[in-house]
């Protein structure tokens, strides 16, 4: 039996891995005539101490997120996806994707890239994709960047 997805959420951050996940999410959304949700998480932990001195940092991060999501949305619409929603979340990417964005979008599939943190960060705090797999309220597809496409 083939799984039908109605609401596909993809996490994007501008990286090569996220771009590949986005491209595959377009394919899944088109095959299933599904809505596509785009989420970008602004990791406020990364600049919380700096923000006390430079309040424009959060504004710049939000502006970047808006531009990034607008570009992805435009690309998805051009590729034939008819229903596209975008979300900017703030906080830890791990919890923002699984707890806030997935629930707000009512996702039945979350797609994300496989990498993003270096080996030391993964050892100390764990990868975002690993957390999503363990805590997601729905199915998860982790897209690998180093695996060729098979048709």
């Amino acid at each position: 039996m083939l799984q039908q997805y109605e609401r596909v959420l993809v996490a994007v951050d501008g990286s090569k891995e996220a771009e590949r996940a986005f491209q595959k999410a377009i394919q899944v959304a088109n095959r299933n005539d599904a809505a596509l949700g785009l989420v970008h998480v602004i990791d406020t932990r990364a600049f919380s101490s700096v923000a006390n001195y430079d309040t424009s940092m959060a504004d710049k991060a939000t502006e970047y997120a808006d531009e990034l999501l607008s570009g992805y949305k435009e690309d998805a619409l051009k590729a034939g996806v008819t229903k596209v929603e975008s979300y900017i979340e703030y906080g830890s990417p791990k919890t923002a994707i699984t707890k806030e964005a997935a629930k707000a979008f009512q996702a039945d599939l979350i797609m994300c890239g496989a990498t993003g943190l270096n080996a030391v960060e993964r050892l100390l705090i764990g990868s975002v994709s690993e957390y999503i797999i363990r805590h997601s309220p729905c199915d998860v597809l982790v897209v690998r960047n180093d695996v060729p496409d098979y048709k």
Side-chain angles (χ1 to χ4, degrees):
M1 184 168 134
L2 199 60
Q3 174 68 45
Q4 279 293 119
Y5 294 106
E6 296 177 9
R7 302 189 61 78
V8 178
L9 180 69
V10 62
V12 294
D13 62 5
S15 67
K16 281 190 319 186
E17 292 79 10
E19 176 66 27
R20 185 157 170 96
F22 169 70
Q23 292 301 326
K24 287 200 175 194
I26 287 174
Q27 295 171 7
V28 172
N30 279 333
R31 269 196 310 267
N32 289 271
D33 191 30
L36 181 63
L38 309 168
V39 60
H40 177 78
V41 181
I42 297 172
D43 191 345
T44 54
R45 301 167 307 158
F47 57 81
S48 60
S49 60
V50 177
N52 293 333
Y53 304 105
D54 183 8
T55 56
S56 68
M57 185 173 270
D59 293 336
K60 290 176 186 171
T62 302
E63 185 178 313
Y64 169 77
D66 279 332
E67 291 173 12
L68 183 74
L69 290 173
S70 292
Y72 279 123
K73 184 174 184 174
E74 185 178 321
D75 290 348
L77 291 169
K78 284 180 185 174
V81 180
T82 57
K83 299 165 268 188
V84 183
E85 298 175 31
S86 59
Y87 299 88
I88 298 174
E89 297 290 345
Y90 298 86
S92 166
K94 295 175 180 186
T95 56
I97 293 167
T98 56
K99 291 186 173 37
E100 285 91 27
K103 289 179 182 169
F105 182 65
Q106 298 177 330
D108 54 9
L109 175 65
I110 297 174
M111 296 179 68
C112 63
T115 60
L117 295 176
N118 67 41
V120 174
E121 289 172 315
R122 273 196 306 276
L123 178 65
L124 295 175
I125 62 175
S127 74
V128 172
S129 57
E130 178 185 2
Y131 186 93
I132 292 170
I133 291 167
R134 293 183 186 272
H135 297 92
S136 171
C138 60
D139 289 350
V140 176
L141 177 64
V142 178
V143 178
R144 304 217 32 105
N145 208 38
D146 53 354
V147 178
D149 283 327
Y150 296 101
K151 302 221 179 210

